[in-house]
Amino acid sequence: MRHLAVELAVVVAKDSPLKELSLADLRRVFMSEPFSDPSGTRLVPLNHPPKTPDRVAFDSLVLGMNADTVGKFWLDRRIRGQSGAPRTVDSLALLLKVVARLPGAIGYIRPSFIGSDVAALKVEGVLPGKPGYRLIFPG
């Protein structure tokens, strides 16, 4: 049985000054490197739980790692006393609520879940659903 491709939108609060990120900057944000929006607010990345389909897709597309490699990467960083992994949010509803209300919060969701409180960012200059959008994972 063949599955449909999964497209992931990177989202921030609707009033965020951040409108676009490169893939390299998105990777930096989700590798817990300090990164701020145009107003100087530090971005706070939020992840889906490990091994969920959207997390696996995001880790592969953005970080270039599979679930096991990601786990080892964060364990190694913790052992070395470096910054930890992004916070994991257990539900889509909570992720949307936190992104909408916490200054600097950034997450990723399927575009069909974008509501009035969050906005999709352009990634490499392209919005989700447009030709050339890069965060698509073959299902």
Side-chain angles (χ1 to χ4, degrees), residues 2-48:
R2 201 163 163 202
H3 298 282
L4 297 174
V6 175
E7 183 176 48
L8 296 173
V10 178
V11 292
V12 293
K14 68 178 177 193
D15 57 356
S16 171
L18 187 64
K19 304 300 179 203
E20 178 175 353
L21 278 175
S22 67
L23 265 176
D25 286 343
L26 185 59
R27 184 174 198 267
R28 285 185 195 97
V29 169
F30 279 86
M31 298 289 273
S32 293
E33 294 180 22
F35 197 92
S36 299
D37 71 16
S39 72
T41 301
R42 184 165 173 180
L43 295 185
V44 179
L46 302 170
N47 257 332
H48 292 263

Side-chain angles (χ1 to χ4, degrees), residues 22-103:
S22 67
L23 265 176
D25 286 343
L26 185 59
R27 184 174 198 267
R28 285 185 195 97
V29 169
F30 279 86
M31 298 289 273
S32 293
E33 294 180 22
F35 197 92
S36 299
D37 71 16
S39 72
T41 301
R42 184 165 173 180
L43 295 185
V44 179
L46 302 170
N47 257 332
H48 292 263
K51 301 192 179 182
T52 56
D54 291 1
R55 171 77 179 268
V56 169
F58 187 86
D59 287 348
S60 176
L61 292 167
V62 176
L63 306 183
M65 297 185 221
N66 65 31
D68 291 336
T69 307
V70 168
K72 290 175 186 168
F73 173 83
W74 292 116
L75 179 62
D76 183 61
R77 284 184 65 107
R78 191 167 44 231
I79 289 169
R80 295 172 189 267
Q82 296 173 322
S83 60
R87 300 235 170 174
T88 297
V89 181
D90 290 332
S91 75
L92 178 62
L94 183 58
L95 184 132
L96 288 168
K97 187 180 289 188
V98 173
V99 167
R101 296 185 181 156
L102 178 67

Side-chain angles (χ1 to χ4, degrees), residues 109-126:
I109 59 173
R110 296 184 189 208
S112 59
F113 294 115
I114 295 173
S116 60
D117 292 338
V118 298
L121 295 180
K122 289 181 179 179
V123 176
E124 298 292 334
V126 182

